[in-house]
Amino acid sequence: MSAIQAIVHDEFARIRRDQMLRELLSLITRQPNELLSFDEVRARLNVRGQHYLGHQTVPLDKIIGSEGRYGDFDRQFAPRHNANRYRWMSIDRAHHEGVPLPSVELYKLGDIYFVKDGHHRISVARFQGQREIDAIVTELVVDVPLDSSLSIRDLLLKEEYSDFLEWTGLAELRPEQRIEFSEPGGYLDLIRHINAHRYYMGLELGRPITREEAVASWYDTVYMPVIEVIRNQQALRYFPGRTEADLYRWIMDHRWYLRERNGGADPGPLMAAADYVRLFGKRSLTALTEWLLGALRGKAAAGA
């Protein structure tokens, strides 16, 4: 056995050993370690177009799925069994010998990539510490943001988001929008809010309101004012792991409760948000420390 052959055998043994350890750790921590299925992701999201991007240099850590071999490799593209060991070792040997290999073929959705051809080349490249790889890329245009942290659970939320954008047309009406929830069911509430806004808008203006008009008005005059309050108050620091859309949803429910309690008087987004954060926000040690320091500085300034 030549020196390179010995190295290649040893490296395949190492990558398989590391993969089995990650698999065990995934079972213990219940953290996903599998590649995503390109067909499942494509089926769940609304694809608005497809075009050829040609040759590009792609970051390896953004390749997180496969068109047909998502069960053969883990999330780091380590082989999950020994069936294709000789294919992997031949690619690894080519790497050590400096033999040029053809570009891999990828699909791009959002900011992530799925392998059409070249799984073993990607596996070896990652094992050898490469950060990028030459690829021939075809992009499928979707209307929701996707990044390399995407999991199967996240995909369910992205599906709801994609359906919401298709129904509302909000991505075209307000391209800067980004409305994401941390749990299912939120987008159905937003559709209820839009329908209610459309109804009262029609009563106020005395004419039928188109869906597009209602959606744009709801976003500008109902949703964004609450989001601006959330941002100005830095309210998310009191709700770890939650999103602006989560808080909007809860603050609007709280605003309705305050209005009912106060005999129909609308407290407005600022008062509703402040009261909700006061009642339900989790003050972390860091946030509490910052608040105390701010209060002490204010007291010292007053004393001076």
Side-chain angles (χ1 to χ4, degrees), residues 278-297:
R278 178 182 65 82
L279 290 173
F280 303 107
K282 296 179 180 179
R283 291 183 179 270
S284 67
L285 180 59
T286 301
L288 183 58
T289 301
E290 290 175 355
W291 181 83
L292 287 172
L293 287 173
L296 290 172
R297 290 192 195 100

Side-chain angles (χ1 to χ4, degrees), residues 77-179:
F77 272 89
R80 301 181 73 173
H81 47 70
N82 294 327
N84 294 315
R85 64 181 300 171
Y86 296 110
R87 175 62 176 161
W88 193 96
M89 289 190 294
S90 69
I91 299 294
D92 194 34
R93 180 176 183 132
H95 167 83
H96 285 287
E97 294 177 343
V99 176
L101 297 172
S103 300
V104 301
E105 296 182 41
L106 305 175
Y107 292 109
K108 180 182 182 185
L109 285 82
D111 199 35
I112 59 177
Y113 298 82
F114 295 78
V115 185
K116 179 181 181 182
D117 181 64
H119 296 78
H120 293 88
R121 280 166 275 168
I122 291 169
S123 179
V124 169
R126 291 200 63 159
F127 178 80
Q128 295 296 344
Q130 288 182 217
R131 295 187 176 182
E132 298 175 329
I133 195 166
D134 292 331
I136 301 171
V137 181
T138 299
E139 181 175 26
L140 277 67
V141 181
V142 294
D143 50 11
V144 295
L146 302 174
D147 60 41
S148 56
S149 66
L150 185 69
S151 66
I152 293 296
R153 180 186 180 279
D154 297 331
L155 186 56
L156 299 177
L157 294 172
K158 296 293 184 181
E159 182 179 17
E160 288 189 7
Y161 189 8
S162 185
D163 288 343
F164 170 77
L165 291 178
E166 184 181 37
W167 185 85
T168 61
L170 188 60
E172 289 75 34
L173 294 168
R174 297 294 183 269
E176 75 281 1
Q177 62 78 34
R178 183 152 183 169
I179 303 176

Side-chain angles (χ1 to χ4, degrees), residues 43-60:
R44 288 183 178 274
L45 303 180
N46 295 303
V47 177
R48 296 189 286 110
Q50 177 175 321
H51 53 267
Y52 178 72
L53 297 181
H55 284 83
Q56 297 192 341
T57 301
V58 174
L60 282 163

Side-chain angles (χ1 to χ4, degrees), residues 190-218:
L190 297 191
I191 289 174
R192 294 191 187 104
H193 291 186
I194 293 169
N195 285 335
H197 182 72
R198 183 179 184 180
Y199 171 76
Y200 287 111
M201 193 177 173
L203 291 180
E204 181 180 350
L205 297 178
R207 61 175 176 81
I209 306 298
T210 66
R211 180 187 296 178
E212 292 78 11
E213 189 179 3
V215 168
S217 175
W218 166 82

